[in-house]
Amino acid sequence: MKKKWVMSAFVALLVLAIAGCGSDNKAGSGSAGGKTIKFASDASYAPMEYMDTDKIKGFDIDFIKAVMEEAGIDYTVTNTGWDTMLSSVKQGTEYQAGLSSVSITDERKETYDYSIPYFESTNMIMVKEGSDIKNALDLKDKKVAVQAATTADDLMSGIMGVDNGNLKRFDSNAVALMELNSGGADAVVADIAIVNEYIKNNPNQKLTGIIDKENFGSEYYGILYPKGSEWKAKLDPAIKKIIENGKYAEIYKTWFGEEPDTQTLLNAE
């Protein structure tokens, strides 16, 4: 990945965890009958979306800029936090969409509409070097930190039990990561991009990432909409277009240093 971070990742994550909501990224890219779509986001998912002083940056931010330019629609992105994003997008009044590495799940589909998939991911386990944890099933009797109401929470609830006191749920991944650092957890489970970014920026913490494809399968991110939203039909063609014309791959390589599997992504529609 080519993103440069000048502050230490621990301090950066602490800032992300307490960053004030309401910071906007504004862009003018055209018009859709004079309408502007307002995206809510939880900007604590570096490198997907994170606060850099008063601006939201990240892969998702560059991705949506390309989508909106292709669609010719004005938009804003505001850092609201995870829970606020989910509730406000459900209502569809103040914010018309959610952009925050939101995994597409059958349960969420009962409440929301999604765009076509735009990113393939999986959850990853992060532990300290020397840990006896080798896969997801080894976490059953350990203390595990996750962000609440995420797919990591769902996965670990299935393995450990929903009411297991050792499953520690936090408002953000930033705090979950700090729980491992402080010794309050044996492992963190979070999206692979977040775990890899944290490990890369904290070499002195002696951390290891574990991929368990057997228990943590692939999942896909989509833009989140209220049920019956008009925006899905307007933005899906633009998403597909930038994936097909190479713009998506250009953005992906900038952030992750490798080519994306765009064919798998397109087949996941």
Side-chain angles (χ1 to χ4, degrees):
M1 295 180 232
K2 300 180 180 178
K3 178 177 68 62
K4 300 183 184 297
W5 230 346
V6 297
M7 64 178 72
S8 73
F10 178 79
V11 174
L13 283 166
L14 180 59
V15 171
L16 292 174
I18 62 176
C21 296
S23 298
D24 287 350
N25 281 23
K26 298 181 179 180
S29 56
S31 175
K35 294 182 179 180
T36 296
I37 182 170
K38 297 180 180 179
F39 291 90
S41 182
D42 177 12
S44 61
Y45 285 80
M48 302 303 290
E49 47 269 318
Y50 64 96
M51 294 302 301
D52 184 358
T53 61
D54 63 341
K55 295 293 183 183
I56 309 176
K57 294 184 178 180
F59 171 85
D60 276 355
I61 304 307
D62 289 351
F63 160 77
I64 203 61
K65 180 181 179 182
V67 170
M68 303 311 279
E69 286 177 349
E70 177 65 36
I73 298 172
D74 292 333
Y75 72 103
T76 63
V77 183
T78 302
N79 178 28
T80 64
W82 182 257
D83 289 341
T84 300
M85 178 194 70
L86 292 176
S87 60
S88 62
V89 172
K90 180 180 178 180
Q91 295 168 2
T93 51
E94 184 176 5
Y95 298 101
Q96 293 79 50
L99 179 75
S100 195
S101 308
V102 186
S103 297
I104 300 171
T105 68
D106 290 338
E107 183 179 2
R108 287 180 184 150
K109 283 181 178 179
E110 294 177 4
T111 306
Y112 304 93
D113 284 344
Y114 278 99
S115 70
I116 59 173
Y118 72 84
F119 192 90
E120 183 180 7
S121 182
T122 187
N123 276 278
M124 192 175 191
I125 304 163
M126 185 172 75
V127 298
K128 293 183 178 180
E129 289 184 2
S131 171
D132 61 352
I133 296 168
K134 304 301 179 185
N135 57 54
L137 298 183
D138 290 340
L139 298 172
K140 188 172 183 179
D141 298 316
K142 302 293 186 179
K143 293 179 181 178
V144 182
V146 298
Q147 181 174 1
T150 62
T151 53
D153 186 356
D154 292 341
L155 288 166
M156 294 316 304
S157 292
I159 291 172
M160 299 175 67
V162 174
D163 299 321
N164 191 321
N166 286 329
L167 180 54
K168 299 187 171 186
R169 299 176 174 91
F170 297 94
D171 290 338
S172 73
N173 276 311
V175 184
L177 291 164
M178 286 188 286
E179 185 73 2
L180 174 64
N181 184 65
S182 69
D186 300 305
V188 171
V189 177
D191 289 348
I192 187 170
I194 297 164
V195 172
N196 281 336
E197 184 74 0
Y198 189 85
I199 292 173
K200 179 174 74 76
N201 286 287
N202 291 272
N204 295 332
Q205 291 187 22
K206 306 298 182 183
L207 300 166
T208 299
I210 300 168
I211 296 174
D212 183 349
K213 292 184 178 180
E214 183 174 345
N215 294 291
F216 294 166
S218 289
E219 55 189 59
Y220 295 89
Y221 299 160
I223 298 171
L224 197 67
Y225 303 112
K227 276 292 187 182
S229 172
E230 66 178 299
W231 292 107
K232 175 176 172 57
K234 295 179 185 295
L235 298 190
D236 275 1
I239 295 171
K240 188 173 182 180
K241 183 66 177 291
I242 70 162
I243 293 173
E244 291 175 337
N245 68 15
K247 182 63 179 178
Y248 178 91
E250 178 184 324
I251 297 167
Y252 192 100
K253 285 186 287 186
T254 297
W255 285 98
F256 303 109
E258 60 186 20
E259 289 277 353
D261 183 356
T262 54
Q263 193 55 55
T264 296
L265 197 59
L266 290 168
N267 290 341
E269 290 183 36

